[in-house]
Amino acid sequence: MNLFNLRRQAPAAIPEAKRVPVVVAQAPELSRECLMPSAERAAQVFVRGQGSWLWDNQGHAFLDFTQGGAVNSLGHSPSVLAKALADQAQALINPGAGFHSRGLLGLVNRLCQSTGSDQAYLLNSGAEACEGAIKLARKWGQLHRNGAYHIITASQACHGRSLGALSASDPLPCIRCEPGLPGFSKVPFNDLAAL
């Protein structure tokens, strides 16, 4: 099913006098109807941020306690970040995961120096981190433990929603999972004897 082809059924004809347009204030060309309703959102439309404050299109200020769900821990529009982003955008935004860049190499070198690691593996999501940890553990077992690839995880724990992580997890009551990848065993959490 292609979600981009899904559309709401057209509402029954409503007399013009009773119609209430669903549009963003002060921007009639922007409509909330185009946004798939995946989560309840506040009615405000934010147009500017500075530090911990947000301003909506009506000019009201709001103290932002979420900061973009912890993605934006530096606050909104800090001048040092805005300058760094502008400078980087003028030079190179992202050549892609298949290429080296000075920024990428500088970051991994700093990570290795500060942690005493030989190498760093960069990821952009928790799902990728789980998959990377599974692959890394299996690769290490193959190279240093006579081909070992088996992974033991805690039962009744959620490890993620990617194929490898699902294989390491017990199925949730609301999700019907087919058997996952081979090479996973589950033991009760905090049960050393079972381990």
Side-chain angles (χ1 to χ4, degrees):
M1 175 188 303
N2 184 343
L3 293 178
F4 294 104
N5 289 333
L6 289 178
R7 295 288 182 253
R8 291 183 187 184
Q9 295 296 324
I14 301 172
E16 188 69 36
K18 292 186 177 183
R19 285 189 190 162
V20 178
V22 181
V23 293
V24 177
Q26 296 181 351
E29 72 279 1
L30 300 176
S31 169
R32 289 185 174 104
E33 289 297 316
C34 293
L35 182 63
M36 187 179 287
S38 60
E40 189 171 338
R41 297 174 189 262
Q44 293 83 6
V45 176
F46 295 104
V47 296
R48 185 170 68 88
Q50 185 63 50
S52 295
W53 291 91
L54 289 171
W55 283 265
D56 70 6
N57 58 349
Q58 304 283 318
H60 299 110
F62 296 83
L63 185 57
D64 181 7
F65 287 98
T66 63
Q67 297 290 309
V71 175
N72 185 9
S73 61
L74 300 173
H76 298 283
S77 306
S79 58
V80 67
L81 178 60
K83 182 183 180 323
L85 289 171
D87 291 347
Q88 187 61 46
Q90 290 293 321
L92 176 67
I93 293 179
N94 182 5
F99 301 102
H100 293 117
S101 68
R102 285 184 174 183
L104 174 111
L105 295 176
L107 175 61
V108 296
N109 278 272
R110 287 180 65 190
L111 285 170
C112 288
Q113 289 170 0
S114 63
T115 62
S117 299
D118 294 330
Q119 293 179 319
Y121 186 58
L122 302 179
L123 305 162
N124 68 354
S125 72
E128 284 187 37
C130 287
E131 288 292 316
I134 290 167
K135 290 175 184 176
L136 184 63
R138 286 188 166 180
K139 184 69 170 179
W140 188 87
Q142 288 174 347
L143 294 174
H144 302 287
R145 291 287 188 246
N146 300 320
Y149 70 95
H150 203 87
I151 294 177
I152 301 171
T153 62
S155 59
Q156 298 176 335
C158 181
H159 304 286
R161 294 290 142 229
S162 60
L163 182 59
L166 279 170
S167 301
S169 303
D170 287 333
L172 296 174
C174 60
I175 299 175
R176 292 191 180 119
C177 297
E178 296 297 320
L181 299 173
F184 290 91
S185 293
K186 295 166 185 69
V187 298
F189 180 73
N190 212 19
D191 188 340
L192 290 178
L195 180 64

